[in-house]
Amino acid sequence: MHAPASLLPLVLETVQYGINGQALIHGIDLEFHPGPPTLVLGPNGAGKSLLLRLCHGLISPTAGRVIWHGLAAQNPEALRFGQAMVFQKPVLLRRSVLANMLFPLKLRGLNAGIRFARAMEALERVGLTALAQRPARVLSGGEQQRLALARAWALGPQILFLDEPAAALDPNATRQVESIITDIAASGTKIVMTTHDLGQARRLAGDVIFLHHGRITERTPAGDFFAGPRSAAAQAFLNGDLVW
Amino acid sequence: MNTITDAFHLALNLIWQFDAELMRIIGLSLRVSLSAVVIGSIIGLPLGAFLALARFPGRHACIVVLNASMGLPPVVVGLVVYLILSRSGPLGTFGWLFTAAGMVVAQVVLITPIVAALSRQVVADLWSEYEEQLRSLGLTRLGAIATLLWDGRFSLSTAVLAGFGRAIAEVGAIIIVGGNIAGVTRTMTTAISLETSRGDLALAMALGIVLLTIAITINAAATTLGNAARRAQGA
């Protein structure tokens, strides 16, 4: 389902972001290459969600640049349609589950047969086939988030940003969501995800970016990070005594 | 007191017998006001959505003017439309003065700002809920107009109903533009106005009862159906 050419790597060059002169993200340099999921950790207010939105292009940096270096990134349409994001609170259209799946596929100009096939395939992968005709807004929180993930997955994005996708879910729904995320990653999509659930980060992460006060204190392979983070802030965070 | 009860009895009689004149008046009222609502909504809904989403210099002024236009005085609108439709006016060639079409034009002018202003608010609220997701899926602000109008359909039905309420109850504009000609441009409100001043309170009262009933029934039905649909969608 991938376009032949790649959008990645995604490179952030001294990206800053502020509101009303107050800097919230300070000179961040980052690169994202294809590979296992990257987890963005940090205390509340560290700027995790802002970082994802900057990468995804929902907000523009006040200084610095967000650059897509892949060959496919020359094509604005590939750039727009090659990435996707799922939010903490799923935003579903006031339509049926299936209509929610078909909507972005139609934006991508796919014909009706392909749209339907892709939508149903993705719904099956997240276990929502039986609910296809149900109005999306009456689903449970866990089902809504699975639908949001399926909707993003059906687009076959090269990179998928997940902002606390399981923050509001019970343990069972969280497990289902994690399993879907693992499957998406296995299908070749680069996952960049925030969470404040350390257990979840351990289960999913290939590497960890730790964010504190809008700065990256370290980026470390997951195993090393959880064995003993290099930065003092991350150390304190893992010990549960990071003072904000 | 007697006048009122007598008039009330006569009124019920007229309604009960499906009085031909009464039915013609009711039919014309509904035709004019429903046409005006359809046209006013076709213009007003996208206009409201556009003002909610587009960013251009002068947008704020447009919104202020639009909101103020919700309270346009019907007689003034009637007068202006009269001048425009009159023989020497810019649209005089259509010959719409003193016709149902002319009355529709006047009511469209009255209700389009209501539909547009109310739907602007609905669409703006919905956009703030959907913005990140829709932009993430690759939609632009203006590209989202159709999506937001459809997803706001339950709330927008209130805007359309408000327009209909204004149209069906309004007398000032259509009595000037239509002229209240029996059998041609006589509607419920213009007839009530005329019959009251002529002293035929029974017919006026009958029309008043019908007008109230229609207005309440349509609003109640629309609200009930809308709420049921809204609940079913979990919206």
Side-chain angles (χ1 to χ4, degrees):
Chain A
M1 290 205 304
H2 287 182
S6 177
L7 292 176
L8 299 171
L10 164 63
V11 178
L12 276 65
E13 281 180 1
T14 54
V15 164
Q16 300 200 24
Y17 183 76
I19 298 174
N20 301 328
Q22 193 196 351
L24 301 170
I25 295 282
H26 303 271
I28 282 187
D29 289 293
L30 261 185
E31 288 192 18
F32 293 103
H33 294 268
T38 297
L39 270 281
V40 182
L41 300 181
N44 290 333
K48 304 188 295 291
S49 296
L50 285 178
L51 180 62
L52 256 54
R53 283 165 172 75
L54 284 164
C55 291
H56 191 34
L58 290 177
I59 52 178
S60 302
T62 40
R65 298 196 302 165
V66 176
I67 313 158
W68 297 82
H69 269 305
L71 282 175
Q74 306 308 317
N75 174 356
E77 188 142 285
L79 188 57
R80 197 153 59 108
F81 290 154
Q83 39 174 331
M85 181 157 175
V86 171
F87 301 87
Q88 177 173 348
K89 184 179 178 304
V91 185
L92 300 175
L93 302 175
R94 288 160 170 78
R95 309 175 187 194
S96 72
V97 166
L98 181 59
N100 266 278
M101 294 294 299
L102 296 174
F103 178 77
L105 294 167
K106 186 168 186 188
L107 283 182
R108 280 150 179 77
L110 299 169
N111 76 44
I114 294 178
R115 293 204 293 265
F116 183 76
R118 277 225 215 166
M120 291 312 289
E121 186 194 354
L123 282 179
E124 191 180 348
R125 285 187 297 207
V126 303
L128 289 177
T129 310
L131 302 181
Q133 301 304 330
R134 204 67 79 72
R137 295 259 174 168
V138 304
L139 300 185
S140 72
E143 288 164 345
Q144 293 202 12
Q145 196 58 287
R146 273 149 65 199
L147 171 55
L149 285 164
R151 182 170 62 185
W153 197 0
L155 305 175
Q158 298 189 22
I159 184 164
L160 174 60
F161 301 100
L162 304 172
D163 189 13
E164 305 258 9
L169 303 181
D170 66 30
N172 184 41
T174 299
R175 207 177 53 237
Q176 292 173 323
V177 161
E178 284 181 16
S179 131
I180 292 168
I181 293 170
T182 308
D183 290 348
I184 296 177
S187 73
T189 296
K190 172 68 185 178
I191 303 272
V192 179
M193 166 174 167
T194 67
T195 183
H196 60 249
D197 177 344
L198 289 175
Q200 182 170 69
R202 260 180 234 270
R203 289 188 290 275
L204 295 174
D207 64 340
V208 173
I209 293 172
F210 193 82
L211 210 58
H212 187 42
H213 288 307
R215 289 191 171 82
I216 291 176
T217 66
E218 66 178 293
R219 180 177 194 176
T220 317
D224 300 344
F225 182 85
F226 290 109
R230 284 180 279 124
S231 63
Q235 185 76 59
F237 183 72
L238 288 191
N239 291 337
D241 48 33
L242 182 67
V243 181
W244 174 240
Chain B
M1 201 57 209
N2 260 353
T3 325
I4 295 182
T5 45
D6 287 356
F8 196 74
H9 280 128
L10 271 165
L12 290 182
N13 255 337
L14 283 174
I15 297 170
W16 191 247
Q17 292 159 3
F18 286 93
D19 180 76
E21 172 69 3
L22 184 64
M23 291 305 132
R24 196 161 49 229
I25 291 173
I26 295 171
L28 180 68
S29 279
L30 287 176
R31 222 169 67 228
V32 168
S33 294
L34 288 174
S35 308
V37 166
V38 169
I39 298 170
S41 300
I42 290 173
I43 304 170
L45 292 173
L47 177 64
F50 178 79
L51 285 175
L53 296 173
R55 291 290 176 267
F56 57 91
R59 169 177 168 272
H60 195 71
C62 285
I63 292 172
V64 170
V65 170
L66 183 67
N67 285 341
S69 309
M70 288 206 288
L72 284 179
V75 282
V76 177
V77 170
L79 175 60
V80 172
V81 174
Y82 180 96
L83 292 174
I84 292 172
L85 295 183
S86 65
R87 198 63 62 80
S88 54
L91 298 182
T93 46
F94 288 111
W96 280 354
L97 198 60
F98 305 130
T99 67
M103 298 196 291
V104 171
V105 172
Q107 292 202 333
V108 167
V109 174
L110 278 176
I111 66 179
T112 300
I114 296 179
V115 175
L118 296 178
S119 53
R120 187 199 66 79
Q121 190 60 53
V122 168
V123 170
D125 292 345
L126 201 55
W127 175 247
S128 66
E129 181 192 341
Y130 280 6
E131 173 177 6
E132 286 198 319
Q133 183 67 68
L134 292 185
R135 286 180 50 214
S136 170
L137 293 176
L139 225 62
T140 58
R141 274 177 170 270
L142 292 183
I145 286 182
T147 306
L148 293 173
L149 285 178
W150 177 250
D151 270 60
R153 58 199 180 277
F154 304 115
S155 311
L156 289 171
S157 65
T158 310
V160 173
L161 273 184
F164 178 74
R166 166 83 149 178
I168 196 77
E170 174 279 322
V171 60
I174 49 172
I175 204 163
I176 295 178
V177 175
N180 194 24
I181 302 164
V184 184
T185 57
R186 183 159 298 170
T187 67
M188 286 189 274
T189 54
T190 62
I192 289 172
S193 172
L194 174 74
E195 302 304 339
T196 305
S197 61
R198 279 207 321 203
D200 188 349
L201 296 181
L203 184 53
M205 184 74 106
L207 288 163
I209 293 170
V210 172
L211 183 55
L212 268 176
T213 311
I214 289 176
I216 292 172
T217 308
I218 289 187
N219 268 286
T223 310
T224 312
L225 289 175
N227 283 345
R230 190 190 299 250
R231 259 195 311 279
Q233 279 290 330

